[in-house]
Amino acid sequence: MKPLSKNDYKAFLERFDDVKGGEIVSLEMITPESFKVTLTAQDKNRSYDWVNLSLEFSSVNDAKLLDDRALKAVDMQEGITLGYTDEGIEVGFGSQEYLSSPLRLRAEVLKYEESPFAL
C-alpha cells in the first residue's frame, strides 16, 4: 500500500479518471476504525486498461457504509470525490459531493494499491 498525500491526490484522480464507470467490488472492515474498499478503475498509465484499486482508510472518523448486497448498486458514473479537509481525508463513492455519496469515509490516513483486474 502506498500513502496518498495531499500533493499527489489530483494526479491520482486524473490517472484513474475519478474512477468513473468503475464498480465497487468489496468493503472490508479491518478494525472498527480501519476499512478497505476495493473497486475497479481504468488506469491511464496502462492505456486505460481495467485494474482493481484498493483504498485503505485508517483512523476513520466519519462513515456512511453499505452492506455487501448494496455495494453493486452504487452508480459509479460520477466516480469518486476525494478531498483533504481540516477534519480529514474525505472520499465519497458514486457522487461528486462527499455528503451526498451513498458510501463515504473520512479518515486521517489513506493508502492505495493497484492489482490485476478481477471482480
Side-chain angles (χ1 to χ4, degrees), residues 5 16 30-31 34 45 48 51 54-55 57 77 84 86 115:
S5 73
F16 294 106
I30 301 167
T31 70
S34 298
N45 290 356
Y48 294 97
V51 297
S54 294
L55 303 175
F57 299 83
Q77 291 308 310
Y84 285 72
D86 291 339
S115 58

Side-chain angles (χ1 to χ4, degrees), residues 17-25 37-41 50 55 71-81 91-96 101-103:
D17 192 27
D18 295 326
V19 194
K20 292 178 183 168
E23 184 173 316
I24 300 173
V25 176
V37 177
T38 302
L39 50 133
T40 62
W50 287 93
L55 303 175
L71 291 176
K72 299 273 187 211
V74 175
D75 183 358
M76 291 292 291
Q77 291 308 310
E78 291 186 40
I80 65 172
T81 181
V91 180
F93 299 83
S95 175
Q96 286 297 306
S101 298
L103 171 64

Side-chain angles (χ1 to χ4, degrees), residues 31-59:
T31 70
E33 293 182 347
S34 298
F35 294 86
K36 183 165 102 173
V37 177
T38 302
L39 50 133
T40 62
Q42 287 185 291
D43 186 350
K44 185 178 181 180
N45 290 356
R46 292 186 174 107
S47 300
Y48 294 97
D49 198 13
W50 287 93
V51 297
N52 279 30
L53 190 60
S54 294
L55 303 175
E56 185 176 288
F57 299 83
S58 300
S59 300

